[in-house]
Amino acid sequence: MTVAVDIRVPMGLPLPALIDFIRGCEQAGFHGVGLHDHHHIGRDCYVVLGIAAASTSRLSLYPVTSNTVTRHPLVLAALANSLAEFAPRRTCITLGPGFLSVEAAGESRATIDDLRRAVRAIRALLAGETAEFKGVPVRLRNHPSGKLPVLLTASGPRLLELAGEVADGAVMLVGLDPQMVAAARRHLAAGAERAGRNPKDLLEIFITPIAVGDRAVMCQWPRQWFRPGQPWLEYPSRSNLHWLRYAGIDLPPGHNPASISEAQAEAICDRLGLFGPAEYCAERLLRAQEEAGVERVFLFPAHTAATSYELPWAEVEAFRRVIGPRLRA
């Protein structure tokens, strides 16, 4: 396939039905599935990932995204190794400072320095090396026999540079526009070069918002609120506004979504992701591959806080019928 395509699957169904849905994603031709790591939903993503690994044969499976506040780095390393034993060479772990799970637990997000230490520790443990926690040396008795990538989920410049410095790559929300992608890559490379690493060795997965349907209707998303007080364009962070400036679209933080014109919303959607009929989405993805060298994407179905856990039935069907076959053609 021209572009490897993964998709976000929220845990909005009881586990048996959710596993059936994930099997359906494999049958539809997806490269991978990423599950959110939200504790307050009452379903643990690593339990689901383990069952899914035993229930599929080729699907890449990973959390999007785990945090190092509510899960200790030692625990995360053990979870990642357990998943790798079920699904060797088809999993990774993605980490971030924390958002909804940290918020729900009444905790603060991890600082850049905390995240740096945690990523280094997890990578060391998964490589069979010794890490140290509060002066105590720790080593996993069992660890992956092959490489298990540790990625940072990054939407802003600082996290991208940290990913280049200490991680195996980044799951990044920076849009598909070539100027936006190039700007993000400069930050990724800056972090890598600061640590004496080769940026070309880093894995890139592009978080790609998607809304399948009538283009005029789907392009209304930037004109909505994610939740009261938070514009849709500022979810999960305001960094969307930062990258859009590289494409000539300048919106102030805390903007009123209703102030965005329909023409401006259409331009925003074209630069950020895939918004429109399935045929349009397929061609836009191929254009991103040609113009910006995008080789792997993580489809992020458009939603609000109220619809966060609705499963992407329409997107899976559109991929099965139209997008996947077009990418393979």
Side-chain angles (χ1 to χ4, degrees):
M1 191 172 290
T2 308
V3 182
V5 182
D6 304 342
I7 189 168
R8 172 190 185 265
V9 174
M11 293 188 290
L13 291 175
L15 266 57
L18 188 60
I19 295 301
D20 285 343
F21 186 87
I22 293 171
R23 285 198 200 99
C25 291
E26 182 172 65
Q27 293 163 4
F30 281 99
H31 173 271
V33 160
L35 298 180
H36 65 251
D37 190 4
H38 295 174
H39 316 316
H40 52 280
I41 195 66
R43 299 178 181 122
D44 188 272
C45 81
Y46 286 93
V47 172
V48 177
L49 288 167
I51 299 170
S55 304
T56 57
S57 60
R58 59 162 189 81
L59 207 59
S60 176
L61 296 158
Y62 52 96
V64 186
T65 296
S66 292
N67 74 81
T68 58
V69 176
T70 59
R71 293 191 194 268
H72 190 278
L74 176 60
V75 174
L76 284 166
L79 288 168
N81 176 65
S82 300
L83 183 57
E85 289 185 349
F86 263 121
R89 295 175 300 282
R90 57 186 183 108
T91 188
C92 64
I93 183 170
T94 73
L95 305 171
F99 181 38
L100 293 179
S101 285
V102 169
E103 184 181 90
E107 299 285 353
S108 300
R109 299 185 187 190
T111 67
I112 290 287
D113 287 341
D114 288 340
L115 200 51
R116 178 182 287 107
R117 285 190 290 269
V119 172
R120 283 175 171 161
I122 292 168
R123 289 187 75 215
L125 290 168
L126 292 175
E129 300 168 3
T130 299
E132 188 174 288
F133 300 105
K134 297 183 178 180
V136 178
V138 179
R139 193 183 186 103
L140 292 182
R141 293 184 63 180
N142 300 287
H143 57 85
S145 56
K147 180 76 171 178
L148 197 164
V150 178
L151 310 179
L152 270 185
T153 299
S155 57
R158 293 179 67 204
L159 280 177
L160 279 170
E161 292 192 15
L162 182 62
E165 178 188 343
V166 300
D168 294 304
V171 183
M172 47 188 171
L173 179 58
V174 299
L176 296 178
D177 180 88
Q179 295 184 50
M180 295 160 67
V181 170
R185 282 179 172 148
R186 287 195 290 271
H187 286 285
L188 197 61
E193 290 162 1
R194 191 162 57 233
R197 309 172 75 199
N198 187 346
K200 293 182 179 179
D201 293 336
L202 299 175
L203 176 63
E204 297 178 344
I205 302 177
F206 290 86
I207 300 174
T208 303
I210 181 172
V212 179
D214 180 85
R215 182 155 168 80
V217 175
M218 296 304 104
C219 286
Q220 296 302 308
W221 278 99
R223 308 181 73 211
Q224 300 182 45
W225 297 91
F226 173 70
R227 59 182 178 182
Q230 185 175 18
W232 184 82
L233 273 177
E234 295 185 19
Y235 165 72
S237 80
R238 290 180 173 176
S239 295
N240 287 328
L241 307 184
H242 172 82
W243 304 116
L244 283 169
R245 293 188 190 104
Y246 286 97
I249 299 172
D250 195 355
L251 296 171
H255 64 279
N256 183 343
S259 67
I260 298 174
S261 69
E262 294 198 5
Q264 194 174 32
E266 186 172 343
I268 289 169
C269 287
D270 184 65
R271 286 155 178 79
L272 278 185
L274 316 175
F275 294 81
E279 294 82 0
Y280 177 89
C281 293
E283 295 305 321
R284 179 66 187 92
L285 198 49
L286 288 170
R287 181 155 57 93
Q289 192 276 334
E290 180 181 355
E291 294 177 346
V294 171
E295 296 182 350
R296 184 173 176 182
V297 298
F298 174 70
L299 298 185
F300 194 70
H303 60 273
T304 65
T307 61
S308 290
Y309 300 106
E310 293 181 3
L311 270 70
W313 298 97
E315 290 79 7
V316 170
E317 182 62 13
F319 187 84
R320 184 188 68 79
R321 290 188 305 101
V322 178
I323 301 174
R326 178 67 185 90
L327 296 180
R328 287 188 291 269

